[in-house]
Amino acid sequence: MRTEATIMLATDIHYLSHALNDEGEMFRAVMSNGDGKLTERSPEIFDAFLEEARRLRPDAVVLPGDLTFNGERKSLVEVLQKCARLMDVGIDVLVIPGNHDIAYPYAARFEGGKAYTEDAISQAEFRRLCHGFGIRQATGTCEASFSYTYELTTGTVLLFLDANTEKFPGGLDAETMAFAEREFTAAGAKGKQVIAVTHQNVLRQSPLVFYGFVMQNESQVKKLLTKHGVSAVLSGHSHMLHSASNDVFTDHATGALTTYPLCYAVIRIKDGTAPEYEVRELPVFREEAKRRFDETTERQVRKALEGIRIGDREKKRMIGFAVEINRQYFSGKLEKESLAGEEWELWQKHAKDTFWCKYFRSMF
Ligand SMILES: [Fe+2]
């Protein structure tokens, strides 16, 4: 068995099969009220990621949930077909479900001005469909959730923890907690380090926006992982690229693959040393993704400023500032100097009590 390994990670792909989307009126309406993902290009963006994986030849590819746009079974099947081709060249693909993947009520196909209900994915069905992408390769599995242990190297195990069961959506249920405890103890007894993989964050990635992004049983999970000295957590769900640390570990939340700047992570593991986490960006659809993200911020900010008396020129400057700052923040490229200057003064003068102003302040 190896003592060093590389993994590639892409999260929140939110893949929508082209068979479910004609890019018509209804789909465009959904996008213009959405959260800034470039969903209509999700199949091609995922292909580009898989292409990178073929080039880079990691030991494993990790997909920590929200594989599908809104839990359509057809989207999941397509994602898995593509993953199977990567497995054929000897790269293990390891998945867990996200909150959008299990029993999601909005699974739909978009045609013209309408959305038609599509088959969603039950927890049992996810387990059956995804068995070959984690459970089959595992050295330990949990019956209550899609949680499992994967031996990566002689001294490192990946512990996949599923917080999206039908029984307890958003947190680790009692059985999964007990499973994690057992696996940590077993790894510890053999002197192995554990890297946990989750969909929801274990640590708060923002002091303001964390509700619904961290685990429902946040303090319990944090306590368990801290007690056992987990080496690192690899998560997603917040769609934003950010790492948060406590005294023991860092939770690396990788941004959504289909949200600007279309990033994925490359993690190098060498037994006996801390994992090295590096972020890369896909070279495809960059302008389209940026435009979608910026338009989304602009729409939300414009709405938040409605009803506040601000001159058109000043409002335009405030919106421009918000778009720039939010993009930098999501890309993990926030510059300290950005929160200065006249535009920031305008925000404090006209809109200091809005969510957005508090949000900008919370970033620093
Ligand atoms: Fe999610």
PDB file of all heavy atoms in Angstrom, residues 12 14 66 98-100 199 237 239, ligand 1:
ATOM      1  N   ASP A  12     -20.632  20.293  -4.989  1.00  0.00           N
ATOM      2  CA  ASP A  12     -21.794  21.070  -5.440  1.00  0.00           C
ATOM      3  C   ASP A  12     -21.786  21.278  -6.961  1.00  0.00           C
ATOM      4  O   ASP A  12     -21.865  22.398  -7.445  1.00  0.00           O
ATOM      5  CB  ASP A  12     -21.847  22.399  -4.680  1.00  0.00           C
ATOM      6  CG  ASP A  12     -22.043  22.181  -3.189  1.00  0.00           C
ATOM      7  OD1 ASP A  12     -21.038  21.903  -2.492  1.00  0.00           O
ATOM      8  OD2 ASP A  12     -23.178  22.215  -2.715  1.00  0.00           O
ATOM      9  N   HIS A  14     -24.104  20.248  -8.872  1.00  0.00           N
ATOM     10  CA  HIS A  14     -25.490  20.591  -9.229  1.00  0.00           C
ATOM     11  C   HIS A  14     -25.744  20.340 -10.719  1.00  0.00           C
ATOM     12  O   HIS A  14     -26.240  21.214 -11.440  1.00  0.00           O
ATOM     13  CB  HIS A  14     -25.809  22.039  -8.826  1.00  0.00           C
ATOM     14  CG  HIS A  14     -25.970  22.221  -7.343  1.00  0.00           C
ATOM     15  ND1 HIS A  14     -27.065  21.731  -6.662  1.00  0.00           N
ATOM     16  CD2 HIS A  14     -25.176  22.791  -6.413  1.00  0.00           C
ATOM     17  CE1 HIS A  14     -26.934  22.025  -5.373  1.00  0.00           C
ATOM     18  NE2 HIS A  14     -25.801  22.654  -5.181  1.00  0.00           N
ATOM     19  N   ASP A  66     -24.351  17.205  -3.337  1.00  0.00           N
ATOM     20  CA  ASP A  66     -25.042  18.049  -4.301  1.00  0.00           C
ATOM     21  C   ASP A  66     -24.483  17.773  -5.695  1.00  0.00           C
ATOM     22  O   ASP A  66     -24.031  18.655  -6.418  1.00  0.00           O
ATOM     23  CB  ASP A  66     -25.028  19.529  -3.910  1.00  0.00           C
ATOM     24  CG  ASP A  66     -26.076  19.825  -2.826  1.00  0.00           C
ATOM     25  OD1 ASP A  66     -26.831  18.894  -2.453  1.00  0.00           O
ATOM     26  OD2 ASP A  66     -26.166  20.972  -2.364  1.00  0.00           O
ATOM     27  N   GLY A  98     -25.586  15.175  -1.040  1.00  0.00           N
ATOM     28  CA  GLY A  98     -25.801  16.501  -0.450  1.00  0.00           C
ATOM     29  C   GLY A  98     -27.288  16.661  -0.174  1.00  0.00           C
ATOM     30  O   GLY A  98     -28.088  15.773  -0.490  1.00  0.00           O
ATOM     31  N   ASN A  99     -27.646  17.784   0.394  1.00  0.00           N
ATOM     32  CA  ASN A  99     -29.058  18.008   0.740  1.00  0.00           C
ATOM     33  C   ASN A  99     -29.965  18.032  -0.492  1.00  0.00           C
ATOM     34  O   ASN A  99     -31.136  17.683  -0.410  1.00  0.00           O
ATOM     35  CB  ASN A  99     -29.219  19.307   1.543  1.00  0.00           C
ATOM     36  CG  ASN A  99     -28.584  20.495   0.871  1.00  0.00           C
ATOM     37  OD1 ASN A  99     -27.431  20.433   0.450  1.00  0.00           O
ATOM     38  ND2 ASN A  99     -29.310  21.576   0.750  1.00  0.00           N
ATOM     39  N   HIS A 100     -29.423  18.412  -1.656  1.00  0.00           N
ATOM     40  CA  HIS A 100     -30.245  18.448  -2.872  1.00  0.00           C
ATOM     41  C   HIS A 100     -30.456  17.071  -3.486  1.00  0.00           C
ATOM     42  O   HIS A 100     -31.300  16.913  -4.354  1.00  0.00           O
ATOM     43  CB  HIS A 100     -29.602  19.364  -3.926  1.00  0.00           C
ATOM     44  CG  HIS A 100     -29.864  20.807  -3.695  1.00  0.00           C
ATOM     45  ND1 HIS A 100     -30.624  21.575  -4.549  1.00  0.00           N
ATOM     46  CD2 HIS A 100     -29.495  21.621  -2.688  1.00  0.00           C
ATOM     47  CE1 HIS A 100     -30.699  22.806  -4.087  1.00  0.00           C
ATOM     48  NE2 HIS A 100     -30.009  22.868  -2.950  1.00  0.00           N
ATOM     49  N   HIS A 199     -20.688  16.997   3.476  1.00  0.00           N
ATOM     50  CA  HIS A 199     -21.282  17.986   2.569  1.00  0.00           C
ATOM     51  C   HIS A 199     -21.429  19.321   3.316  1.00  0.00           C
ATOM     52  O   HIS A 199     -20.809  20.314   2.957  1.00  0.00           O
ATOM     53  CB  HIS A 199     -22.642  17.500   2.039  1.00  0.00           C
ATOM     54  CG  HIS A 199     -23.287  18.510   1.137  1.00  0.00           C
ATOM     55  ND1 HIS A 199     -22.751  18.852  -0.078  1.00  0.00           N
ATOM     56  CD2 HIS A 199     -24.390  19.293   1.296  1.00  0.00           C
ATOM     57  CE1 HIS A 199     -23.500  19.802  -0.640  1.00  0.00           C
ATOM     58  NE2 HIS A 199     -24.497  20.088   0.170  1.00  0.00           N
ATOM     59  N   HIS A 237     -21.110  22.769   0.140  1.00  0.00           N
ATOM     60  CA  HIS A 237     -22.440  23.260   0.522  1.00  0.00           C
ATOM     61  C   HIS A 237     -22.599  24.778   0.558  1.00  0.00           C
ATOM     62  O   HIS A 237     -23.643  25.286   0.164  1.00  0.00           O
ATOM     63  CB  HIS A 237     -22.831  22.655   1.876  1.00  0.00           C
ATOM     64  CG  HIS A 237     -24.239  22.923   2.305  1.00  0.00           C
ATOM     65  ND1 HIS A 237     -25.323  22.702   1.488  1.00  0.00           N
ATOM     66  CD2 HIS A 237     -24.750  23.399   3.474  1.00  0.00           C
ATOM     67  CE1 HIS A 237     -26.436  23.027   2.137  1.00  0.00           C
ATOM     68  NE2 HIS A 237     -26.115  23.453   3.331  1.00  0.00           N
ATOM     69  N   HIS A 239     -21.022  26.852  -1.223  1.00  0.00           N
ATOM     70  CA  HIS A 239     -20.730  27.311  -2.588  1.00  0.00           C
ATOM     71  C   HIS A 239     -19.597  28.325  -2.648  1.00  0.00           C
ATOM     72  O   HIS A 239     -19.236  28.809  -3.707  1.00  0.00           O
ATOM     73  CB  HIS A 239     -21.976  27.888  -3.280  1.00  0.00           C
ATOM     74  CG  HIS A 239     -23.001  26.850  -3.605  1.00  0.00           C
ATOM     75  ND1 HIS A 239     -24.010  27.036  -4.517  1.00  0.00           N
ATOM     76  CD2 HIS A 239     -23.165  25.586  -3.139  1.00  0.00           C
ATOM     77  CE1 HIS A 239     -24.762  25.939  -4.585  1.00  0.00           C
ATOM     78  NE2 HIS A 239     -24.263  25.048  -3.739  1.00  0.00           N
TER      79      HIS A 239
HETATM   80 FE    FE B   1     -25.781  21.698  -0.384  1.00  0.00          FE
END
